[in-house]
Amino acid sequence: MHKRNYLALLLALFLLLSACSVPKEENPDDAAAAEAESPADIAGTPEEAPEPVEEPEEEPVEEPAAPQYLLPAWDEALPSLWESFDGLFKVGAAVNTDQLKPDTDFYRTVTKHYNVFVTENEMKPMYVNPAEGTFNFTAPDQFVAFGEEVGATLRGHTLIWHSQAPDWWFRGSGENGRATREELLSRMETYITEVMTRYQGRVAVWDVVNEAFSDQGKGLRMEDEGSQYAAIIGDLDGDGNLNDYIEQAFYLADAADPDAQLIINDYSLENGDAKLDSFYESVKGMLEKGVPIDGAGIQAHIQIGWPSVATFEKAIEKLASLKEYNPDFKVQITELDVSIFAWDDQSKIKEMTPQLQAELATRYADLFDMFRRQAEKGNLDMVVTWGVYDGRSWLDNYPVSGRVNAPLLFDRQMNAKPAFWGVVDRTKIPDACAEVQTAQ
Ligand code: 9MR
């Protein structure tokens, strides 16, 4: 073939082949492969390198405003809870020892915000004294070591309680296999002495007796409300009432650690009803006899709309008036949380709208303003919340199974809620709630 014809044939063949080939980007598999490969992999040799394609200009994305309020609980920009009330009252929280690992966000949070700690469960008799003669101090020892390391005040919760007592505690050689008065008194003595002397001078405050009063305002909690103590121990001194087991507990506690602050603790006192009255009368009677009770613990598992702050404040004042019988007598708020549900509300979830956040924040602000007033009057020396953040609160699933609550100052991610600002600076509530709005 003539050389020119040969070249023409080659050119025609080349043009035909190019026209038949599928452009690369139209093949979805290739496109996907190209996407998956790095630019260097598909660039080929320098001669084959495609013309650089100009990137389309990206729309400027508006950066969300830096959070000012809803910061992680451990963030240095947040004021510290305990420092906010320093010199007025101490601020604490219930914790579990599995949460206290150093160098974690939880550890940074609790050491920043609280100067009082209490174990939520691990210092209850069923865990500490599971069988007669067997004591298990692993968790309490860890808790006390933590408290000492961070220089916090520790509460011991709790010594004498009808609930969460070990199985064997009320069983014995008495009628129907029940413990006799002597057996129960001796167990109380062994327990209180063993536990309190171990932590003498290290656990400064003890809930010596917990939840000993009737929910119906009938005086002491008896067997119909789940406590065998009064029925078994009875009236030791013949004065006609059955407070004796409580009195014994306080005498034993005072003997074990004379410097500890000894508290009688109960729930629903803040509602100012018959339960408060019978609690007050009973404690007054014991103080008049010289029983070494140093204070009343108001647990304060309250709700967003109940009771009123005024009713709660009156309850504190009533109990604090017992300083007439013991000048050192104080009220402590020992287990504060604010449920966003009414007690028996069967709904499972409530959206944390800015409005609800504001309501909770205002509730907390009103409460802490009142605590401040009461501390200034010398009535109150400590406020402890029952937990640190919503992700771990006894109020999830209780008393309504599947219900998700939000009763604390830090949310499920351990970020500050507007409620936190309600406590430390109520003027910031609107801005904190606006930030909730932006985040939603
Ligand atoms: O928060 C505690 C929860 O984890 C336990 O299951 C429960 C068992 O009774 O006790 C809870 O703590 C209670 C505290 O010891 C005494 N006052 C009421 C608290 C909430 O129920």
Side-chain angles (χ1 to χ4, degrees), residues 96-125:
N96 298 276
T97 51
D98 68 285
Q99 299 176 297
L100 298 176
K101 295 183 193 79
D103 213 16
T104 59
D105 293 338
F106 189 88
Y107 192 94
R108 282 184 274 280
T109 295
V110 295
T111 48
K112 171 183 172 77
H113 289 292
Y114 308 107
N115 54 3
V116 178
F117 294 101
V118 59
T119 49
E120 184 176 2
N121 285 299
E122 292 155 308
M123 283 171 84
K124 292 173 180 172

PDB file of all heavy atoms in Angstrom, residues 96-125:
ATOM      1  N   ASN A  96     -21.347   6.578  91.926  1.00  0.00           N
ATOM      2  CA  ASN A  96     -21.071   5.145  92.072  1.00  0.00           C
ATOM      3  C   ASN A  96     -19.588   4.962  91.792  1.00  0.00           C
ATOM      4  O   ASN A  96     -19.041   5.636  90.906  1.00  0.00           O
ATOM      5  CB  ASN A  96     -21.898   4.354  91.059  1.00  0.00           C
ATOM      6  CG  ASN A  96     -23.392   4.537  91.305  1.00  0.00           C
ATOM      7  OD1 ASN A  96     -23.973   3.853  92.138  1.00  0.00           O
ATOM      8  ND2 ASN A  96     -24.009   5.489  90.611  1.00  0.00           N
ATOM      9  N   THR A  97     -18.945   4.048  92.505  1.00  0.00           N
ATOM     10  CA  THR A  97     -17.485   3.999  92.390  1.00  0.00           C
ATOM     11  C   THR A  97     -17.014   3.633  90.978  1.00  0.00           C
ATOM     12  O   THR A  97     -15.936   4.036  90.567  1.00  0.00           O
ATOM     13  CB  THR A  97     -16.834   3.043  93.411  1.00  0.00           C
ATOM     14  OG1 THR A  97     -17.493   1.793  93.331  1.00  0.00           O
ATOM     15  CG2 THR A  97     -16.935   3.575  94.802  1.00  0.00           C
ATOM     16  N   ASP A  98     -17.837   2.903  90.208  1.00  0.00           N
ATOM     17  CA  ASP A  98     -17.407   2.569  88.838  1.00  0.00           C
ATOM     18  C   ASP A  98     -17.280   3.841  87.981  1.00  0.00           C
ATOM     19  O   ASP A  98     -16.671   3.817  86.912  1.00  0.00           O
ATOM     20  CB  ASP A  98     -18.386   1.587  88.180  1.00  0.00           C
ATOM     21  CG  ASP A  98     -19.735   2.220  87.905  1.00  0.00           C
ATOM     22  OD1 ASP A  98     -20.505   2.404  88.861  1.00  0.00           O
ATOM     23  OD2 ASP A  98     -20.016   2.550  86.737  1.00  0.00           O
ATOM     24  N   GLN A  99     -17.859   4.938  88.440  1.00  0.00           N
ATOM     25  CA  GLN A  99     -17.789   6.188  87.668  1.00  0.00           C
ATOM     26  C   GLN A  99     -16.544   7.012  88.005  1.00  0.00           C
ATOM     27  O   GLN A  99     -16.296   8.024  87.355  1.00  0.00           O
ATOM     28  CB  GLN A  99     -19.014   7.056  87.986  1.00  0.00           C
ATOM     29  CG  GLN A  99     -20.354   6.431  87.630  1.00  0.00           C
ATOM     30  CD  GLN A  99     -21.512   7.318  88.056  1.00  0.00           C
ATOM     31  OE1 GLN A  99     -21.711   7.571  89.242  1.00  0.00           O
ATOM     32  NE2 GLN A  99     -22.274   7.809  87.098  1.00  0.00           N
ATOM     33  N   LEU A 100     -15.803   6.590  89.021  1.00  0.00           N
ATOM     34  CA  LEU A 100     -14.777   7.493  89.556  1.00  0.00           C
ATOM     35  C   LEU A 100     -13.373   7.251  89.005  1.00  0.00           C
ATOM     36  O   LEU A 100     -12.393   7.481  89.697  1.00  0.00           O
ATOM     37  CB  LEU A 100     -14.752   7.391  91.092  1.00  0.00           C
ATOM     38  CG  LEU A 100     -16.058   7.822  91.780  1.00  0.00           C
ATOM     39  CD1 LEU A 100     -15.976   7.609  93.280  1.00  0.00           C
ATOM     40  CD2 LEU A 100     -16.384   9.287  91.472  1.00  0.00           C
ATOM     41  N   LYS A 101     -13.283   6.792  87.766  1.00  0.00           N
ATOM     42  CA  LYS A 101     -11.951   6.538  87.194  1.00  0.00           C
ATOM     43  C   LYS A 101     -11.277   7.868  86.886  1.00  0.00           C
ATOM     44  O   LYS A 101     -11.872   8.716  86.213  1.00  0.00           O
ATOM     45  CB  LYS A 101     -12.066   5.714  85.920  1.00  0.00           C
ATOM     46  CG  LYS A 101     -12.599   4.329  86.189  1.00  0.00           C
ATOM     47  CD  LYS A 101     -12.633   3.481  84.929  1.00  0.00           C
ATOM     48  CE  LYS A 101     -13.448   2.232  85.147  1.00  0.00           C
ATOM     49  NZ  LYS A 101     -14.898   2.456  85.082  1.00  0.00           N
ATOM     50  N   PRO A 102     -10.030   8.029  87.343  1.00  0.00           N
ATOM     51  CA  PRO A 102      -9.336   9.292  87.065  1.00  0.00           C
ATOM     52  C   PRO A 102      -9.147   9.488  85.565  1.00  0.00           C
ATOM     53  O   PRO A 102      -9.199   8.529  84.799  1.00  0.00           O
ATOM     54  CB  PRO A 102      -7.989   9.139  87.761  1.00  0.00           C
ATOM     55  CG  PRO A 102      -8.105   7.944  88.624  1.00  0.00           C
ATOM     56  CD  PRO A 102      -9.217   7.094  88.119  1.00  0.00           C
ATOM     57  N   ASP A 103      -8.950  10.711  85.178  1.00  0.00           N
ATOM     58  CA  ASP A 103      -8.689  11.036  83.779  1.00  0.00           C
ATOM     59  C   ASP A 103      -9.878  10.719  82.858  1.00  0.00           C
ATOM     60  O   ASP A 103      -9.701  10.313  81.717  1.00  0.00           O
ATOM     61  CB  ASP A 103      -7.432  10.292  83.294  1.00  0.00           C
ATOM     62  CG  ASP A 103      -6.692  11.135  82.269  1.00  0.00           C
ATOM     63  OD1 ASP A 103      -6.980  12.340  82.190  1.00  0.00           O
ATOM     64  OD2 ASP A 103      -5.848  10.578  81.539  1.00  0.00           O
ATOM     65  N   THR A 104     -11.059  10.881  83.367  1.00  0.00           N
ATOM     66  CA  THR A 104     -12.263  10.728  82.535  1.00  0.00           C
ATOM     67  C   THR A 104     -13.067  12.023  82.658  1.00  0.00           C
ATOM     68  O   THR A 104     -12.851  12.818  83.583  1.00  0.00           O
ATOM     69  CB  THR A 104     -13.151   9.569  83.035  1.00  0.00           C
ATOM     70  OG1 THR A 104     -13.518   9.851  84.396  1.00  0.00           O
ATOM     71  CG2 THR A 104     -12.448   8.235  82.971  1.00  0.00           C
ATOM     72  N   ASP A 105     -13.999  12.194  81.724  1.00  0.00           N
ATOM     73  CA  ASP A 105     -14.833  13.397  81.774  1.00  0.00           C
ATOM     74  C   ASP A 105     -15.676  13.430  83.044  1.00  0.00           C
ATOM     75  O   ASP A 105     -15.919  14.490  83.619  1.00  0.00           O
ATOM     76  CB  ASP A 105     -15.739  13.459  80.535  1.00  0.00           C
ATOM     77  CG  ASP A 105     -14.919  13.674  79.269  1.00  0.00           C
ATOM     78  OD1 ASP A 105     -13.785  14.186  79.392  1.00  0.00           O
ATOM     79  OD2 ASP A 105     -15.393  13.318  78.178  1.00  0.00           O
ATOM     80  N   PHE A 106     -16.113  12.254  83.468  1.00  0.00           N
ATOM     81  CA  PHE A 106     -16.915  12.208  84.694  1.00  0.00           C
ATOM     82  C   PHE A 106     -16.091  12.697  85.885  1.00  0.00           C
ATOM     83  O   PHE A 106     -16.547  13.511  86.694  1.00  0.00           O
ATOM     84  CB  PHE A 106     -17.428  10.782  84.955  1.00  0.00           C
ATOM     85  CG  PHE A 106     -18.427  10.730  86.084  1.00  0.00           C
ATOM     86  CD1 PHE A 106     -19.777  10.933  85.840  1.00  0.00           C
ATOM     87  CD2 PHE A 106     -18.012  10.516  87.399  1.00  0.00           C
ATOM     88  CE1 PHE A 106     -20.699  10.922  86.888  1.00  0.00           C
ATOM     89  CE2 PHE A 106     -18.921  10.503  88.440  1.00  0.00           C
ATOM     90  CZ  PHE A 106     -20.269  10.695  88.183  1.00  0.00           C
ATOM     91  N   TYR A 107     -14.870  12.212  85.970  1.00  0.00           N
ATOM     92  CA  TYR A 107     -13.982  12.589  87.084  1.00  0.00           C
ATOM     93  C   TYR A 107     -13.728  14.098  87.068  1.00  0.00           C
ATOM     94  O   TYR A 107     -13.802  14.781  88.090  1.00  0.00           O
ATOM     95  CB  TYR A 107     -12.670  11.812  86.947  1.00  0.00           C
ATOM     96  CG  TYR A 107     -11.764  11.877  88.155  1.00  0.00           C
ATOM     97  CD1 TYR A 107     -11.806  10.885  89.127  1.00  0.00           C
ATOM     98  CD2 TYR A 107     -10.847  12.924  88.317  1.00  0.00           C
ATOM     99  CE1 TYR A 107     -10.951  10.922  90.227  1.00  0.00           C
ATOM    100  CE2 TYR A 107     -10.005  12.969  89.418  1.00  0.00           C
ATOM    101  CZ  TYR A 107     -10.058  11.963  90.363  1.00  0.00           C
ATOM    102  OH  TYR A 107      -9.229  12.012  91.444  1.00  0.00           O
ATOM    103  N   ARG A 108     -13.452  14.603  85.846  1.00  0.00           N
ATOM    104  CA  ARG A 108     -13.214  16.056  85.734  1.00  0.00           C
ATOM    105  C   ARG A 108     -14.452  16.833  86.153  1.00  0.00           C
ATOM    106  O   ARG A 108     -14.368  17.869  86.796  1.00  0.00           O
ATOM    107  CB  ARG A 108     -12.831  16.419  84.290  1.00  0.00           C
ATOM    108  CG  ARG A 108     -11.387  16.093  83.951  1.00  0.00           C
ATOM    109  CD  ARG A 108     -11.027  16.554  82.543  1.00  0.00           C
ATOM    110  NE  ARG A 108     -11.353  15.571  81.529  1.00  0.00           N
ATOM    111  CZ  ARG A 108     -10.610  14.508  81.246  1.00  0.00           C
ATOM    112  NH1 ARG A 108      -9.474  14.291  81.882  1.00  0.00           N
ATOM    113  NH2 ARG A 108     -10.982  13.644  80.319  1.00  0.00           N
ATOM    114  N   THR A 109     -15.620  16.293  85.792  1.00  0.00           N
ATOM    115  CA  THR A 109     -16.882  16.964  86.134  1.00  0.00           C
ATOM    116  C   THR A 109     -17.091  17.009  87.645  1.00  0.00           C
ATOM    117  O   THR A 109     -17.336  18.069  88.216  1.00  0.00           O
ATOM    118  CB  THR A 109     -18.070  16.213  85.480  1.00  0.00           C
ATOM    119  OG1 THR A 109     -17.941  16.327  84.069  1.00  0.00           O
ATOM    120  CG2 THR A 109     -19.397  16.791  85.919  1.00  0.00           C
ATOM    121  N   VAL A 110     -16.983  15.859  88.274  1.00  0.00           N
ATOM    122  CA  VAL A 110     -17.338  15.848  89.700  1.00  0.00           C
ATOM    123  C   VAL A 110     -16.307  16.587  90.550  1.00  0.00           C
ATOM    124  O   VAL A 110     -16.665  17.240  91.532  1.00  0.00           O
ATOM    125  CB  VAL A 110     -17.607  14.421  90.240  1.00  0.00           C
ATOM    126  CG1 VAL A 110     -18.831  13.830  89.570  1.00  0.00           C
ATOM    127  CG2 VAL A 110     -16.420  13.496  90.121  1.00  0.00           C
ATOM    128  N   THR A 111     -15.043  16.525  90.139  1.00  0.00           N
ATOM    129  CA  THR A 111     -14.050  17.233  90.952  1.00  0.00           C
ATOM    130  C   THR A 111     -14.159  18.747  90.729  1.00  0.00           C
ATOM    131  O   THR A 111     -13.783  19.524  91.585  1.00  0.00           O
ATOM    132  CB  THR A 111     -12.622  16.737  90.657  1.00  0.00           C
ATOM    133  OG1 THR A 111     -12.434  16.712  89.240  1.00  0.00           O
ATOM    134  CG2 THR A 111     -12.413  15.342  91.207  1.00  0.00           C
ATOM    135  N   LYS A 112     -14.683  19.153  89.596  1.00  0.00           N
ATOM    136  CA  LYS A 112     -14.865  20.590  89.355  1.00  0.00           C
ATOM    137  C   LYS A 112     -16.060  21.148  90.152  1.00  0.00           C
ATOM    138  O   LYS A 112     -15.995  22.252  90.679  1.00  0.00           O
ATOM    139  CB  LYS A 112     -15.118  20.814  87.858  1.00  0.00           C
ATOM    140  CG  LYS A 112     -15.537  22.237  87.474  1.00  0.00           C
ATOM    141  CD  LYS A 112     -15.827  22.329  85.987  1.00  0.00           C
ATOM    142  CE  LYS A 112     -16.433  23.663  85.592  1.00  0.00           C
ATOM    143  NZ  LYS A 112     -15.487  24.769  85.523  1.00  0.00           N
ATOM    144  N   HIS A 113     -17.154  20.357  90.202  1.00  0.00           N
ATOM    145  CA  HIS A 113     -18.417  20.940  90.665  1.00  0.00           C
ATOM    146  C   HIS A 113     -18.818  20.656  92.107  1.00  0.00           C
ATOM    147  O   HIS A 113     -19.666  21.346  92.648  1.00  0.00           O
ATOM    148  CB  HIS A 113     -19.564  20.506  89.756  1.00  0.00           C
ATOM    149  CG  HIS A 113     -19.512  21.153  88.404  1.00  0.00           C
ATOM    150  ND1 HIS A 113     -19.726  22.501  88.228  1.00  0.00           N
ATOM    151  CD2 HIS A 113     -19.259  20.644  87.179  1.00  0.00           C
ATOM    152  CE1 HIS A 113     -19.617  22.799  86.944  1.00  0.00           C
ATOM    153  NE2 HIS A 113     -19.325  21.701  86.289  1.00  0.00           N
ATOM    154  N   TYR A 114     -18.264  19.596  92.719  1.00  0.00           N
ATOM    155  CA  TYR A 114     -18.812  19.202  94.026  1.00  0.00           C
ATOM    156  C   TYR A 114     -17.721  19.136  95.091  1.00  0.00           C
ATOM    157  O   TYR A 114     -16.594  18.733  94.806  1.00  0.00           O
ATOM    158  CB  TYR A 114     -19.492  17.830  93.920  1.00  0.00           C
ATOM    159  CG  TYR A 114     -20.509  17.776  92.795  1.00  0.00           C
ATOM    160  CD1 TYR A 114     -20.246  17.072  91.625  1.00  0.00           C
ATOM    161  CD2 TYR A 114     -21.720  18.461  92.894  1.00  0.00           C
ATOM    162  CE1 TYR A 114     -21.172  17.038  90.580  1.00  0.00           C
ATOM    163  CE2 TYR A 114     -22.643  18.443  91.853  1.00  0.00           C
ATOM    164  CZ  TYR A 114     -22.359  17.738  90.701  1.00  0.00           C
ATOM    165  OH  TYR A 114     -23.260  17.719  89.671  1.00  0.00           O
ATOM    166  N   ASN A 115     -18.127  19.500  96.310  1.00  0.00           N
ATOM    167  CA  ASN A 115     -17.202  19.284  97.431  1.00  0.00           C
ATOM    168  C   ASN A 115     -17.790  18.333  98.477  1.00  0.00           C
ATOM    169  O   ASN A 115     -17.281  18.238  99.586  1.00  0.00           O
ATOM    170  CB  ASN A 115     -16.720  20.609  98.046  1.00  0.00           C
ATOM    171  CG  ASN A 115     -17.863  21.525  98.460  1.00  0.00           C
ATOM    172  OD1 ASN A 115     -19.025  21.162  98.342  1.00  0.00           O
ATOM    173  ND2 ASN A 115     -17.528  22.706  98.944  1.00  0.00           N
ATOM    174  N   VAL A 116     -18.860  17.636  98.079  1.00  0.00           N
ATOM    175  CA  VAL A 116     -19.449  16.581  98.915  1.00  0.00           C
ATOM    176  C   VAL A 116     -19.802  15.408  98.009  1.00  0.00           C
ATOM    177  O   VAL A 116     -20.294  15.620  96.898  1.00  0.00           O
ATOM    178  CB  VAL A 116     -20.772  17.052  99.579  1.00  0.00           C
ATOM    179  CG1 VAL A 116     -21.393  15.926 100.394  1.00  0.00           C
ATOM    180  CG2 VAL A 116     -20.561  18.277 100.446  1.00  0.00           C
ATOM    181  N   PHE A 117     -19.561  14.207  98.502  1.00  0.00           N
ATOM    182  CA  PHE A 117     -19.979  13.021  97.743  1.00  0.00           C
ATOM    183  C   PHE A 117     -20.642  12.010  98.670  1.00  0.00           C
ATOM    184  O   PHE A 117     -20.350  11.954  99.869  1.00  0.00           O
ATOM    185  CB  PHE A 117     -18.771  12.353  97.056  1.00  0.00           C
ATOM    186  CG  PHE A 117     -18.180  13.236  95.990  1.00  0.00           C
ATOM    187  CD1 PHE A 117     -17.030  13.975  96.249  1.00  0.00           C
ATOM    188  CD2 PHE A 117     -18.793  13.369  94.757  1.00  0.00           C
ATOM    189  CE1 PHE A 117     -16.495  14.825  95.286  1.00  0.00           C
ATOM    190  CE2 PHE A 117     -18.268  14.215  93.783  1.00  0.00           C
ATOM    191  CZ  PHE A 117     -17.123  14.943  94.048  1.00  0.00           C
ATOM    192  N   VAL A 118     -21.517  11.216  98.055  1.00  0.00           N
ATOM    193  CA  VAL A 118     -22.188  10.127  98.765  1.00  0.00           C
ATOM    194  C   VAL A 118     -22.319   8.986  97.758  1.00  0.00           C
ATOM    195  O   VAL A 118     -22.431   9.243  96.548  1.00  0.00           O
ATOM    196  CB  VAL A 118     -23.570  10.613  99.292  1.00  0.00           C
ATOM    197  CG1 VAL A 118     -24.490  11.100  98.176  1.00  0.00           C
ATOM    198  CG2 VAL A 118     -24.297   9.560 100.108  1.00  0.00           C
ATOM    199  N   THR A 119     -22.268   7.744  98.229  1.00  0.00           N
ATOM    200  CA  THR A 119     -22.475   6.641  97.272  1.00  0.00           C
ATOM    201  C   THR A 119     -23.965   6.410  97.106  1.00  0.00           C
ATOM    202  O   THR A 119     -24.717   6.386  98.084  1.00  0.00           O
ATOM    203  CB  THR A 119     -21.835   5.324  97.765  1.00  0.00           C
ATOM    204  OG1 THR A 119     -22.234   5.096  99.116  1.00  0.00           O
ATOM    205  CG2 THR A 119     -20.329   5.356  97.686  1.00  0.00           C
ATOM    206  N   GLU A 120     -24.367   6.225  95.858  1.00  0.00           N
ATOM    207  CA  GLU A 120     -25.803   6.046  95.594  1.00  0.00           C
ATOM    208  C   GLU A 120     -26.310   4.736  96.204  1.00  0.00           C
ATOM    209  O   GLU A 120     -27.434   4.673  96.692  1.00  0.00           O
ATOM    210  CB  GLU A 120     -26.063   6.067  94.082  1.00  0.00           C
ATOM    211  CG  GLU A 120     -27.544   5.994  93.753  1.00  0.00           C
ATOM    212  CD  GLU A 120     -27.848   6.114  92.266  1.00  0.00           C
ATOM    213  OE1 GLU A 120     -26.901   6.220  91.465  1.00  0.00           O
ATOM    214  OE2 GLU A 120     -29.037   6.091  91.906  1.00  0.00           O
ATOM    215  N   ASN A 121     -25.515   3.689  96.173  1.00  0.00           N
ATOM    216  CA  ASN A 121     -25.962   2.387  96.692  1.00  0.00           C
ATOM    217  C   ASN A 121     -24.917   1.641  97.525  1.00  0.00           C
ATOM    218  O   ASN A 121     -25.254   0.832  98.372  1.00  0.00           O
ATOM    219  CB  ASN A 121     -26.380   1.472  95.522  1.00  0.00           C
ATOM    220  CG  ASN A 121     -27.731   1.875  94.949  1.00  0.00           C
ATOM    221  OD1 ASN A 121     -28.745   1.856  95.646  1.00  0.00           O
ATOM    222  ND2 ASN A 121     -27.746   2.276  93.683  1.00  0.00           N
ATOM    223  N   GLU A 122     -23.642   1.855  97.234  1.00  0.00           N
ATOM    224  CA  GLU A 122     -22.630   0.897  97.684  1.00  0.00           C
ATOM    225  C   GLU A 122     -22.321   0.900  99.179  1.00  0.00           C
ATOM    226  O   GLU A 122     -21.604   0.022  99.648  1.00  0.00           O
ATOM    227  CB  GLU A 122     -21.331   1.128  96.893  1.00  0.00           C
ATOM    228  CG  GLU A 122     -21.495   0.758  95.414  1.00  0.00           C
ATOM    229  CD  GLU A 122     -20.529   1.501  94.514  1.00  0.00           C
ATOM    230  OE1 GLU A 122     -20.476   2.754  94.612  1.00  0.00           O
ATOM    231  OE2 GLU A 122     -19.827   0.855  93.739  1.00  0.00           O
ATOM    232  N   MET A 123     -22.871   1.862  99.917  1.00  0.00           N
ATOM    233  CA  MET A 123     -22.649   1.818 101.364  1.00  0.00           C
ATOM    234  C   MET A 123     -23.936   1.473 102.111  1.00  0.00           C
ATOM    235  O   MET A 123     -24.109   1.820 103.281  1.00  0.00           O
ATOM    236  CB  MET A 123     -22.009   3.117 101.863  1.00  0.00           C
ATOM    237  CG  MET A 123     -20.516   3.142 101.533  1.00  0.00           C
ATOM    238  SD  MET A 123     -19.712   4.694 101.845  1.00  0.00           S
ATOM    239  CE  MET A 123     -19.343   4.558 103.585  1.00  0.00           C
ATOM    240  N   LYS A 124     -24.814   0.752 101.422  1.00  0.00           N
ATOM    241  CA  LYS A 124     -26.032   0.280 102.080  1.00  0.00           C
ATOM    242  C   LYS A 124     -25.744  -1.095 102.679  1.00  0.00           C
ATOM    243  O   LYS A 124     -24.960  -1.881 102.105  1.00  0.00           O
ATOM    244  CB  LYS A 124     -27.172   0.223 101.067  1.00  0.00           C
ATOM    245  CG  LYS A 124     -27.588   1.626 100.594  1.00  0.00           C
ATOM    246  CD  LYS A 124     -28.598   1.610  99.472  1.00  0.00           C
ATOM    247  CE  LYS A 124     -28.960   3.033  99.065  1.00  0.00           C
ATOM    248  NZ  LYS A 124     -29.795   3.087  97.846  1.00  0.00           N
ATOM    249  N   PRO A 125     -26.363  -1.410 103.822  1.00  0.00           N
ATOM    250  CA  PRO A 125     -26.014  -2.651 104.533  1.00  0.00           C
ATOM    251  C   PRO A 125     -26.088  -3.924 103.691  1.00  0.00           C
ATOM    252  O   PRO A 125     -25.275  -4.823 103.878  1.00  0.00           O
ATOM    253  CB  PRO A 125     -27.025  -2.684 105.684  1.00  0.00           C
ATOM    254  CG  PRO A 125     -27.324  -1.238 105.940  1.00  0.00           C
ATOM    255  CD  PRO A 125     -27.279  -0.555 104.601  1.00  0.00           C
TER     256      PRO A 125
END
